[in-house]
């Protein structure tokens, strides 16, 4: 598929003598933006392999393959980045493979970044600090119900992508300050839909300006599903870790009946929450399900919360 062309020259080792001094001068003395005649901002897709980000990736491919802006708000991305958390349902990886193959046809770079949240959590929960996942909680004394903070998305997606872009694409050195011409210059496109528009916020990362084409277009999950299926023949569901606490009871029952390997991973996390104590210790019990029950204790009534949308007059499960 080739490699993305960085807007900055390749750096080499320092060496010795007058040539080393010249190389040091070239790379360490601030350079004027006017000297970089080929410099262009990057347009990047944060690809989660769910329904909306799949729509954006395929729209970019359609624009490139047809040689015209069929969807003007969606650019032909310089690169599509997918963080593999190693614990998502099989349909997420099927959708990612479809997009990767289509990007290859269109000449758009598709890059998988390793972000093994599942391994890190299962190996370290109860032994040391782990990234905070928004598990549901019940205080051991008061019985008050709550929810843990959400840090996993930032640690295993946002920061992973930011490091890759900073050090691999833009070729920054460790601890090097953001160059003025990179400050909020590059576009990070995200698959936030119209019904999720409250989540469309400005970027906290200095390199990026967040863009939400689906919000600007007014596209809903139903619109995205219809596009993926009608134009590309791909039925898409939502993406999330199998142990994400925002899933419904129906989701876990579906995994148990149709994807035993994925359910085993979710059950392992649930067992860790039941038998291991968090570090640092908490005064609350943690749960994977909204109803504050263990997976093994879910009843048929607990799993009657399937979420659907309409497609051609028929209800379609959204994947959550």
């Amino acid at each position: 598929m080739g490699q993305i062309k960085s807007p900055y020259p390749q750096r080499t080792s320092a060496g010795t003598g007058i040539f080393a001094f010249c190389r040091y001068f070239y790379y360490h003395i601030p350079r004027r933006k006017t000297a970089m005649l080929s410099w262009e901002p990057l347009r990047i897709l944060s690809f989660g392999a769910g329904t909306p980000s799949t729509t954006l990736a395929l729209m970019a491919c359609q624009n490139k393959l047809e040689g015209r802006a069929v969807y003007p708000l969606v650019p032909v991305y310089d690169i599509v980045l997918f963080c593999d958390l190693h614990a998502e349902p099989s349909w997420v990886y099927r959708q990612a493979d479809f997009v990767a193959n289509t990007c290859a046809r269109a000449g758009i770079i598709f890059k998988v970044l390793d972000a093994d949240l599942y391994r890190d959590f299962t190996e370290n929960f109860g032994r040391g600090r782990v990234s905070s996942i928004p598990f549901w909680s019940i205080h051991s004394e008061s019985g008050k119900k709550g929810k843990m903070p959400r840090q996993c998305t930032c640690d295993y997606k946002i920061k992973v992508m930011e490091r890759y872009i900073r050090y691999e694409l833009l070729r920054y050195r460790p601890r090097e300050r953001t160059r003025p011409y990179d400050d909020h210059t590059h576009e990070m496109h995200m698959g936030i839909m119209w019904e999720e528009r409250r989540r469309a916020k400005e970027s906290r990362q200095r390199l990026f300006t967040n863009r939400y084409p689906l919000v600007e277009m007014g596209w809903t999950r139903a619109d995205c599903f219809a596009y993926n299926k009608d134009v590309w023949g791909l039925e898409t569901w939502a993406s999330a870790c199998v142990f994400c606490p925002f899933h419904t009871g129906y989701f876990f029952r579906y995994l148990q009946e149709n994807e035993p390997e994925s359910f085993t991973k979710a059950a392992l996390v649930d067992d860790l929450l039941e038998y291991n104590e968090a570090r640092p210790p908490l005064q609350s019990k943690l749960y994977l399900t909204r109803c504050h029950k263990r997976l093994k204790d879910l009843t048929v009534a607990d799993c009657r919360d399937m979420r659907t949308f309409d497609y051609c007059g028929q209800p379609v499960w959204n994947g959550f």
Side-chain angles (χ1 to χ4, degrees):
M1 292 185 290
Q3 295 184 353
I4 187 171
K5 183 178 179 182
S6 171
Y8 306 112
Q10 179 68 48
R11 289 171 172 160
T12 59
S13 58
T16 58
I18 186 62
F19 295 106
F21 172 79
C22 292
R23 280 193 290 269
Y24 182 90
F25 181 89
Y26 178 79
Y27 288 123
H28 288 72
I29 301 301
R31 302 186 296 280
R32 293 180 299 172
K33 184 175 179 180
T34 54
M36 303 177 61
L37 300 179
S38 62
W39 183 88
E40 291 183 1
L42 296 175
R43 295 169 299 180
I44 304 159
L45 175 60
S46 174
F47 180 68
T51 297
S53 63
T54 296
T55 296
L56 289 180
L58 294 178
M59 284 180 172
C61 290
Q62 185 176 357
N63 286 345
K64 180 66 179 296
L65 291 170
E66 295 192 16
R68 61 189 181 94
V70 182
Y71 299 95
L73 294 179
V74 180
V76 175
Y77 295 111
D78 294 299
I79 191 167
V80 176
L81 296 178
F82 172 55
C83 290
D84 184 2
L85 305 177
H86 293 258
E88 301 199 62
S90 63
W91 63 79
V92 172
Y93 296 105
R94 182 179 68 249
Q95 290 159 196
D97 287 343
F98 185 95
V99 168
N101 292 331
T102 308
C103 284
R105 286 172 47 207
I108 297 175
I109 298 173
F110 184 95
K111 176 68 176 178
V112 179
L113 304 179
D114 186 64
D116 200 340
L117 171 59
Y118 177 74
R119 180 197 61 200
D120 291 348
F121 185 86
T122 55
E123 290 183 356
N124 296 305
F125 183 78
R127 301 175 183 175
R129 289 182 177 271
V130 294
S131 183
S132 180
I133 298 174
F135 295 121
W136 307 98
S137 63
I138 298 180
H139 196 276
S140 300
E141 296 181 358
S142 67
K144 183 178 180 180
K145 297 180 179 181
K147 186 175 64 175
M148 297 296 293
R150 180 179 182 177
Q151 191 64 27
C152 49
T153 299
C154 181
D155 291 342
Y156 285 85
K157 288 193 175 183
I158 297 175
K159 289 182 179 180
V160 171
M161 289 187 185
E162 197 273 341
R163 284 195 298 268
Y164 178 80
I165 295 165
R166 174 176 286 270
Y167 299 120
E168 299 298 326
L169 298 185
L170 302 181
R171 296 187 181 135
Y172 276 82
R173 295 182 182 274
R175 297 178 295 279
E176 182 179 356
R177 292 184 178 180
T178 301
R179 305 175 186 116
Y181 42 80
D182 279 330
D183 197 356
H184 294 292
T185 299
H186 307 285
E187 293 184 2
M188 179 67 78
H189 287 230
M190 300 185 185
I192 302 295
M193 300 165 291
W194 174 252
E195 61 265 43
E196 302 174 317
R197 57 191 178 278
R198 60 180 179 81
R199 296 176 52 202
K201 299 177 181 179
E202 295 183 0
S203 174
R204 296 182 180 180
Q205 308 297 318
R206 289 196 60 183
L207 290 174
F208 313 123
T209 297
N210 287 347
R211 294 290 305 275
Y212 305 96
L214 296 175
V215 174
E216 296 181 54
M217 296 163 63
W219 276 45
T220 64
R221 180 177 295 276
D223 295 325
C224 294
F225 179 89
Y227 171 80
N228 298 340
K229 182 174 174 60
D230 297 344
V231 178
W232 297 92
L234 179 67
E235 293 190 16
T236 51
W237 289 346
S239 66
C241 287
V242 296
F243 53 91
C244 177
F246 295 127
H247 285 307
T248 60
Y250 177 85
F251 172 87
F252 294 115
R253 178 59 58 88
Y254 179 91
L255 290 190
Q256 186 176 22
E257 295 176 352
N258 299 279
E259 299 205 2
E261 184 177 348
S262 294
F263 184 78
T264 298
K265 289 185 175 182
L268 174 58
V269 172
D270 196 44
D271 288 342
L272 289 174
L273 297 180
E274 182 176 9
Y275 298 113
N276 289 18
E277 185 177 8
R279 295 287 186 272
L282 301 173
Q283 293 183 325
S284 300
K285 289 288 186 179
L286 301 179
Y287 296 87
L288 197 56
T289 64
R290 295 172 179 269
C291 58
H292 300 84
K293 289 184 179 181
R294 301 298 171 197
L295 292 182
K296 59 189 177 185
D297 298 326
L298 290 178
T299 65
V300 174
D302 295 327
C303 301
R304 290 174 177 164
D305 54 353
M306 181 173 63
R307 298 176 181 175
T308 64
F309 57 88
D310 182 79
Y311 171 73
C312 295
Q314 297 295 324
V316 177
W317 179 42
N318 64 12
F320 274 110

